Amino acid sequence: MKYISTRGQGEPKDFQGVLLAGLAEDGGLYVPESLPQFSADKISSLKGLPYNELAFEIIKPFVGGTIADDKLQQMINDSYGSFSHKAVAPLQQLDANQWVMELFHGPTLAFKDFALQLLGRLLDHVLTERNEKAVVLGATSGDTGSAAIEGCRHSEHLEIFILHPYQRVSEVQRRQMTTILDKNVHNIAIKGNFDDCQDMVKQCFADQSFLPENTRLVAVNSINWARIMAQIVYYFYAGLNLGTPEQAVSFSVPTGNFGDIFAGYIARGMGLPVDKLIVATNNNDILHRFFQNNDYRKESLHQTLSPSMDIMVSSNFERLLFDMHKRDGASMHELMDKFQKTGTIQVSDTAWQDIKSLFDSCRSDDQQVCETITELNANTAYLADPHTATGIRAVQELDLARETPVVTLATAHPVKFPEAIVKAGLNAPSLPHHMADLHDREERYDILENDLNILKDYIQNT
């Protein structure tokens, strides 16, 4: 398995190469040269496998022999052995043909644990083999940070710097990061929004000359292909539990950075029968505007009750655009340069109409999110977090659950967003036992101005 950049420059890399590189040297994102293909018979043979065994079957082709099978299997077993539910990604039925897949049973109560528990172990394994050290640099809109810290904090080969937008994540999300006091963990609150944090991370990757000699940056954001790879698994898991390959399944995905739903797109490309992929967004609706009107244009960022989706520029969308431009790296380079200057992207009508045969979208504001949480709880006794609520409302708004089973990805535990739950007229849930003292724990983080040079100086001097 080889990986190429969406912007067409540089030599193809193997899995270990893209794991450590994160962002491509030309500023693009790595994607496989070709996808492994799973026939209907192969998919049928996977029925009934426990989550960790299914994960090995799905992930192994992407690793391409760069890690021994027994080592890879052990890392997968360890990653999902820490989850609190035996099913790892359990399905809960809401209606006759409507389901939620709970992706919040990992140690930090969010779907990011599926990728980052494994990513931390993969990085530690490869760096140990190479006798190297690295600096993890990431930006978070809420959940990636705590999951990355939890996955990497015990590594002797990694120093971790996580940027979050100051006063723009929930208190539980912030404390999950800032109460981890390991010496190799550094939390930074940037006086700006998530896009500012993400932009600084990308600039640091583009020019790493500020780092000490023999030190490299490693990405834990979903620009790192290993994140996408790990998320493909739960699409197969849901499909297999709902009748795949005989039965196609649709998915409604709360998404801001497009990584989670792009994993579903890859699963379909591998052979999983997927009928529709629904992009569920909040007021920050750049993806919704694209899929409805071919209008991908930067606008002002809004602070909402679903802060993990308070993102204006969706990094992983470039991977889909690459396919929409027939994998022409030169065209993508020109397109992304233009976007950098103008803040807008529009694709050909033919490419847009073609992709709309698979994708649809729905936008929900805070009031609609709260109404969905309230109504769902009244009708089913199910308590959804505000991100999951955008996905559930999308299924209702688009009237999807008629012939094809529809699975909404429940991306986070509602305990992480008490403000939204209370605004929906319900009682805020209690923290789980292992986090019961979270509000009493000591916090440690630094607040920095939104300035790239200040950030680089901070990393140099820490």
Side-chain angles (χ1 to χ4, degrees), residues 415-447:
V415 75
K416 302 186 79 165
F417 306 98
E419 181 185 1
I421 305 303
V422 171
K423 284 193 174 183
L426 303 171
N427 294 325
S430 300
L431 288 164
H433 178 72
H434 76 280
M435 289 172 54
D437 65 341
L438 182 66
H439 294 283
D440 300 321
R441 296 176 189 172
E442 177 187 350
E443 285 191 271
R444 187 181 68 202
Y445 65 101
D446 292 298
I447 303 168

Side-chain angles (χ1 to χ4, degrees), residues 158-361:
L158 295 170
E159 200 82 12
I160 312 162
F161 294 83
I162 298 294
L163 282 59
H164 72 268
Y166 181 51
Q167 296 183 334
R168 285 175 176 258
V169 299
S170 77
E171 184 179 6
V172 171
Q173 286 177 311
R174 186 193 76 239
R175 286 180 172 274
Q176 282 187 292
M177 296 184 285
T178 60
T179 57
I180 304 300
L181 305 180
D182 298 66
K183 291 181 179 180
N184 66 332
V185 175
H186 311 281
N187 281 289
I188 304 167
I190 297 293
K191 291 183 178 179
N193 58 43
F194 170 75
D195 285 344
D196 296 324
C197 298
Q198 183 166 254
D199 189 53
M200 282 198 286
V201 168
K202 287 183 176 180
Q203 290 183 66
C204 287
F205 272 89
D207 178 11
Q208 301 186 26
S209 59
F210 68 97
L211 291 173
E213 193 174 352
N214 298 321
T215 304
R216 71 165 85 211
L217 287 180
V218 170
V220 292
N221 285 68
S222 53
I223 59 175
N224 193 316
W225 173 258
R227 285 274 306 271
I228 305 297
M229 174 189 75
Q231 292 169 300
I232 295 166
V233 179
Y234 47 70
Y235 285 92
F236 275 90
Y237 189 71
L240 286 163
N241 279 281
L242 293 175
T244 292
E246 294 78 16
Q247 173 67 63
V249 180
S250 293
F251 294 89
S252 181
V253 186
T255 187
N257 225 2
F258 204 71
D260 204 9
I261 197 165
F262 186 75
Y265 170 79
I266 294 295
R268 181 178 183 269
M270 294 170 64
L272 184 71
V274 175
D275 184 40
K276 280 284 186 181
L277 291 170
I278 310 305
V279 173
T281 72
N282 60 19
N283 281 1
N284 300 296
D285 61 352
I286 189 169
L287 291 169
H288 174 61
R289 286 186 279 112
F290 175 81
F291 287 110
Q292 295 304 311
N293 303 309
N294 193 8
D295 174 22
Y296 190 86
R297 183 178 68 253
K298 288 184 184 179
E299 292 185 350
S300 299
L301 194 72
H302 302 279
Q303 192 167 359
T304 74
L305 292 174
S306 45
S308 297
M309 299 192 299
D310 288 350
I311 297 169
M312 184 47 67
V313 179
S314 304
S315 286
N316 281 284
F317 190 57
E318 181 171 337
R319 286 179 162 124
L320 182 66
L321 286 170
F322 182 57
D323 280 2
M324 292 175 70
H325 286 79
K326 302 187 185 302
R327 312 201 110 207
D328 182 346
S331 295
M332 280 301 301
H333 208 293
E334 182 180 341
L335 182 73
M336 298 314 293
D337 279 349
K338 183 180 177 182
F339 179 63
Q340 188 70 27
K341 295 171 184 174
T342 66
T344 185
I345 288 174
Q346 190 172 41
V347 302
S348 72
D349 188 65
T350 300
W352 180 66
Q353 293 288 353
D354 184 56
I355 206 66
K356 271 184 64 65
S357 65
L358 173 61
F359 285 91
D360 206 340
S361 65

Side-chain angles (χ1 to χ4, degrees), residues 106-124:
T108 71
L109 310 181
F111 80 99
K112 307 292 177 76
D113 288 322
F114 279 83
L116 287 163
Q117 281 293 302
L118 180 59
L119 178 59
R121 289 174 169 85
L122 288 168
L123 288 171
D124 204 39

Side-chain angles (χ1 to χ4, degrees), residues 46-59:
L46 303 175
K47 288 183 178 180
L49 289 182
Y51 191 92
N52 60 321
E53 293 182 23
L54 175 65
F56 176 75
E57 295 294 331
I58 300 298
I59 289 171

